[in-house]
């Protein structure tokens, strides 16, 4: 049996930004900082974003400017309560 980690977000769709950082790595980051990661390809960043946001491609926004992964932000209380 293969174990699969459940998505980090609730069933409500959230915006996920993807783009490249200054080192050329692909970044995927949820708008409130609930989840994110670094990827070697755009395809992997999109695959991750789709998994985490419940398969909602319409909520993925590719940024034309640099984006840096910021895991130091604290999610707001309302978003945390919805996810619980």
């Amino acid at each position: 049996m293969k174990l699969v980690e459940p998505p980090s977000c609730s069933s409500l769709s959230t915006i996920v930004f993807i783009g490249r950082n200054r080192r050329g790595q692909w970044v995927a980051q949820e708008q409130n900082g609930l989840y994110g990661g670094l990827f070697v390809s755009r395809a992997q960043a999109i695959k991750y974003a789709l998994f985490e946001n419940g398969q909602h491609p319409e909520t993925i926004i590719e940024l034309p400017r640099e984006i840096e992964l910021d895991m130091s932000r604290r999610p707001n209380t309302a978003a945390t309560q919805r996810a619980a």
Side-chain angles (χ1 to χ4, degrees):
M1 178 194 306
K2 183 178 178 183
L3 297 176
V4 178
E5 185 176 336
S8 300
C9 65
S10 68
S11 61
L12 299 174
S13 300
T14 58
I15 302 296
V16 181
F17 298 112
I18 66 166
R20 288 183 180 256
N21 65 14
R22 67 178 144 239
R23 292 168 300 286
Q25 299 163 310
W26 283 91
V27 175
Q29 175 116 33
E30 192 271 337
Q31 67 182 348
N32 296 315
L34 293 176
Y35 55 84
L38 295 175
F39 304 89
V40 294
S41 71
R42 178 180 180 270
Q44 289 299 312
I46 291 173
K47 183 177 178 180
Y48 171 80
L50 286 169
F51 175 78
E52 290 292 344
N53 78 3
Q55 303 298 317
H56 293 281
E58 68 279 5
T59 65
I60 299 172
I61 298 174
E62 188 169 347
L63 300 175
R65 60 176 172 76
E66 286 183 352
I67 178 176
E68 295 296 330
L69 182 63
D70 181 5
M71 298 305 289
S72 65
R73 293 188 298 174
R74 299 228 189 256
N76 67 36
T77 306
T80 304
Q81 289 174 348
R82 278 197 311 263

